[in-house]
Amino acid sequence: MPRSRRLPDERPSGGRGRGRRGGRPDPATFPVEQMRDRMSSYIYGNITVLAVAIAVNPDQIHHGAAVLTVLATAVLTYLAHVLAHLVAHGLGDDGSGSDDARRESVVTTVRNANPIATSGLIPAVLYAAAWIGWLPAEWAQIAATVILVVRIGMVGVFMQRFSGKRPTFLGLWGGIVLAAVAFVIGFVKVVLTH
C-alpha cells in the first residue's frame, strides 16, 4: 500500500500521533510551531552543554564535579527556558482562554524544552565513566565534545526530515557549518568567562 506524502506545512491537528515504533511520537505529526520550539531547544541545549563540556578540566572530571556541572547546567538551563517561555506566553493574555488551554500550553512548553535537559545526559555519563576510572578523563572530554558537535551537526538533516523532505548533502553541510559555529560560540564563551 503506497504511503501518502504530506506537504511540509500540512500537519494533522492534535499534534501528538504515534510513530512506527508505537511508543514515541512521530515528529511528522507535530505542528510546525511545536517542532520549531523543539529544534530551538535542541540547538540551544547542545550549545550550552558544549560550552560546559569544553570548560571542565581533568581534575573536575576525576573528582566527579564535571558530572554535576554538566547536569546542573542542563537542568538549570531547562528550567530557565521553561520559565521564560511561560512568562512570554502570558504576554497579551487577556484571561479569556480556558484553564484546559492554559494547562495544555504549559505541558507543551515543558515538553518542547525537553531537548535542553537531555543534552547533558551523554556528557554526564562519559564524565561519570571517567570519574569511576573506566575511561581516561581526556578521552571522556574529547568524546563528550565530539558527540555534542555531531549532535549539532545533524540539525540540517533533522530539519529536512521533519519537513517531509529527503535529507540531502546540502542539509548535512548546513549542519556541519552550524556545528562549527556552535563550537566557536562554546569556545569563546569559555575563554571569556574563565
Side-chain angles (χ1 to χ4, degrees), residues 142-158:
I142 290 168
T145 303
V146 167
I147 287 169
L148 289 164
V149 168
V150 168
R151 283 173 54 103
I152 296 166
M154 295 305 294
V155 165
V157 173
F158 294 156

Side-chain angles (χ1 to χ4, degrees), residues 2-26:
R3 284 177 46 184
S4 63
R5 293 290 298 166
R6 193 169 39 241
L7 295 175
D9 291 332
E10 291 182 63
R11 303 279 188 216
S13 60
R16 286 193 348 214
R18 295 289 166 192
R20 290 183 206 119
R21 290 173 249 168
R24 295 183 71 184
D26 182 358

Side-chain angles (χ1 to χ4, degrees), residues 27-186:
T29 64
F30 283 92
V32 172
E33 274 309 308
Q34 201 169 342
M35 284 310 301
R36 287 178 180 153
D37 280 350
R38 283 186 178 224
M39 188 59 69
S40 172
S41 295
Y42 179 88
I43 295 166
Y44 181 60
N46 280 287
I47 290 173
T48 304
V49 172
L50 176 62
V52 173
I54 294 169
V56 297
N57 62 46
D59 284 341
Q60 291 173 309
I61 296 171
H62 285 299
H63 294 95
V67 175
L68 293 175
T69 302
V70 166
L71 289 177
T73 298
V75 169
L76 293 174
T77 302
Y78 167 81
L79 293 174
H81 181 82
V82 168
L83 179 63
H85 259 56
L86 293 177
V87 170
H89 283 278
L91 192 68
D93 184 13
D94 60 3
S96 63
S98 71
D99 286 342
D100 287 341
R102 276 192 218 98
R103 198 171 303 116
E104 181 62 29
S105 176
V106 169
V107 168
T108 299
T109 297
V110 167
R111 188 179 302 125
N112 288 346
N114 281 344
I116 295 173
T118 60
S119 63
L121 293 178
I122 294 173
V125 167
L126 288 166
Y127 291 157
W131 178 28
I132 293 168
W134 293 347
L135 284 174
E138 295 78 14
W139 289 12
Q141 187 168 25
I142 290 168
T145 303
V146 167
I147 287 169
L148 289 164
V149 168
V150 168
R151 283 173 54 103
I152 296 166
M154 295 305 294
V155 165
V157 173
F158 294 156
M159 286 179 65
Q160 288 181 324
R161 187 175 143 240
F162 296 154
S163 296
K165 299 174 184 172
R166 178 178 253 154
T168 64
F169 180 74
L170 187 60
L172 180 61
W173 182 245
I176 291 168
V177 170
L178 177 64
V181 170
F183 183 81
V184 170
I185 290 169

